[in-house]
Amino acid sequence: AHGWPGLIEAYRDYLPVTDTTPIVTLHEGNTPLIPVPTIAREIGRGVEVFVKYDGLNPTGSFKDRGMTMAITKAKEAGAKAVICASTGNTSAAAAAYARRGGLRAFVLIPDGFVAQGKLAQALLYGAEVLAIKGNFDRALEIVREVANQYPVTLVNSLNPYRLEGQKTAAFELIDVLGEAPDWLCIPMGNAGNISAYWMGFQEYHAKGLSQKLPRMMGFQAAGSAPLVTGEIVQSPDTIATAIRIGNPANWQRALRVHEESNGAFNAVTDAEILDAYRMLAGQEGIFCEPASAASVAGMLKCKDEIPDGATIVCVLTGNGLKDPSSAIEFSHTGFKAGIEPDLDIVAHTMGF
Ligand code: F0G
């Protein structure tokens, strides 16, 4: 076969696989790093800004990076079924990779708080979807217990293979830029992804493949910001349902990343998230989901702290198509309905 083989094959030397490991892949990874010059101009001072568009993975989010590894290792260990709790993206990725590997996929989701595209994916990929009357944090508690007591493998980011797969995004950044960025801006929910990126940056740095280590800048939605306030949030709330999490699974890891990278964690309001969401789409042509826009919203919020001439990467974790109702509800563009199918009326309505 030709072309990109998927991230396990591409980064085999850095991952816990052997020649006999049955790799389950949808050729994920190798996602584009796109300059966003209009957003960079908001900062000025020679700062360069890129987005890592991980919404272009096979199921539309960065979760595919972790799931190719988690499902591969589950299959290697002889598992017949996997389970996760999810705000949506993990469930879509778990479903796709599990089914491709011939495993059953059980997913617990918070009823009413998963974007439509994600639910559609989980269902069509063939997951067994249980919508619970509770939030993500409660669903995660339950699946951890289920995986302890029954023959089903947990594929949330507590599964160490998830982070192994996800760290390859940091490798890709350095492979393309030739060096680590000065800042890595990233949304945080369970803080698995920020932990994985940091692992990746550290590994390449230790091998001499980069000279710098980035400052890890993590952002949460203001109504769901336990890593910023230091307290569990009992009833997390935000329009960015992907990161509607009050008790992050990788809390301790996140604190280490913060300290080791001299990073900073901040909260962004839903209004700031939506401004960045619209700016990315309307000015750069890049459609991400609201949670992903938190990385850009956070960078803009902290823009006065950015050193002159810095290189910044904002991670866009999920594709905008995941959440069509947010796009329709929060767009500011002029949708005009009920227009008569008449040339003159159309031209007039266009302002000609
Ligand atoms: N962005 C998106 C689009 C996500 O779906 C998630 C997490 C995050 C950011 C945060 O990543 O948890 O590693 O800090 N989504 C999980 C899910 C919770 O179930 O799909 P994190």
Side-chain angles (χ1 to χ4, degrees):
H2 299 280
W4 177 257
L7 62 84
I8 295 182
E9 214 42 82
Y11 294 108
R12 174 178 272 283
D13 295 348
Y14 298 87
L15 294 169
V17 291
T18 69
D19 290 347
T20 57
T21 305
I23 294 173
V24 181
T25 181
L26 291 164
H27 296 227
E28 58 296 309
N30 195 27
T31 55
L33 185 67
I34 309 173
V36 285
T38 306
I39 290 172
R41 269 198 295 279
E42 298 264 317
I43 302 161
R45 301 187 284 110
V47 173
E48 267 195 298
V49 185
F50 299 86
V51 293
K52 178 65 169 164
Y53 193 18
D54 246 0
L56 286 185
N57 276 299
T59 80
S61 86
F62 73 97
K63 304 289 180 178
D64 294 348
R65 296 181 179 278
M67 214 50 81
T68 184
M69 272 305 303
I71 299 296
T72 290
K73 295 302 283 186
K75 193 173 165 74
E76 184 175 48
K80 299 281 179 269
V82 299
I83 191 167
C84 65
S86 182
T87 56
N89 283 323
T90 301
S91 71
Y97 285 83
R99 298 306 302 139
R100 189 166 174 93
L103 281 67
R104 291 176 75 182
F106 294 97
V107 308
L108 260 70
I109 56 170
D111 198 356
F113 291 94
V114 168
Q116 197 171 29
K118 304 174 188 182
L119 182 57
Q121 289 179 289
L123 294 172
L124 194 70
Y125 288 136
E128 295 162 64
V129 177
L130 288 77
I132 65 154
K133 298 187 223 159
N135 61 27
F136 170 85
D137 302 291
R138 183 69 193 122
L140 184 61
E141 286 170 5
I142 295 170
V143 298
R144 288 175 80 157
E145 268 317 303
V146 171
N148 272 338
Q149 295 181 27
Y150 301 94
V152 43
T153 301
L154 185 69
V155 293
N156 279 105
S157 55
L158 295 156
N159 178 321
Y161 300 119
R162 280 276 313 277
L163 301 195
E164 289 290 330
Q166 286 172 213
K167 76 185 179 188
T168 60
F171 297 166
E172 290 177 15
L173 292 185
I174 296 170
D175 289 345
V176 169
L177 293 172
E179 180 53 275
D182 296 295
W183 279 22
L184 191 281
C185 299
I186 188 168
M188 297 187 297
N190 278 308
N193 211 26
I194 193 170
S195 305
Y197 266 92
W198 184 237
M199 279 168 55
F201 285 126
Q202 285 183 304
E203 254 180 72
Y204 255 35
H205 185 257
K207 286 219 149 75
L209 295 169
S210 66
Q211 307 311 308
K212 298 189 227 176
L213 282 166
R215 285 189 74 189
M216 302 296 283
M217 310 297 283
F219 300 101
Q220 296 200 289
S224 310
L227 296 170
V228 178
T229 63
E231 314 238 329
I232 292 174
V233 178
Q234 293 299 343
S235 301
D237 184 36
T238 169
I239 49 103
T241 53
I243 52 173
R244 189 173 175 273
I245 294 173
N247 186 13
N250 296 289
W251 196 314
Q252 293 311 315
R253 240 182 239 281
L255 296 183
R256 282 203 300 279
V257 173
H258 182 287
E259 188 186 313
E260 291 172 8
S261 76
N262 185 31
F265 293 172
N266 278 292
V268 285
T269 64
D270 281 1
E272 290 165 336
I273 288 173
L274 291 173
D275 282 343
Y277 176 61
R278 281 183 291 255
M279 193 185 296
L280 278 160
Q283 300 192 38
E284 303 284 7
I286 299 170
F287 191 19
C288 66
E289 61 174 289
S292 305
S295 61
V296 170
M299 174 192 66
L300 292 173
K301 193 163 188 161
C302 300
K303 69 177 179 184
D304 293 342
E305 295 162 46
I306 300 171
D308 291 355
T311 299
I312 299 188
V313 172
C314 297
V315 183
L316 298 186
T317 47
N319 196 299
L321 293 169
K322 293 277 193 173
D323 189 357
S325 31
S326 287
I328 292 168
E329 182 176 350
F330 300 119
S331 63
H332 276 168
T333 46
F335 177 63
K336 298 185 174 85
I339 310 283
E340 292 301 327
D342 173 274
L343 171 61
D344 290 338
I345 292 174
V346 168
H348 179 75
T349 309
M350 291 168 70
F352 293 117

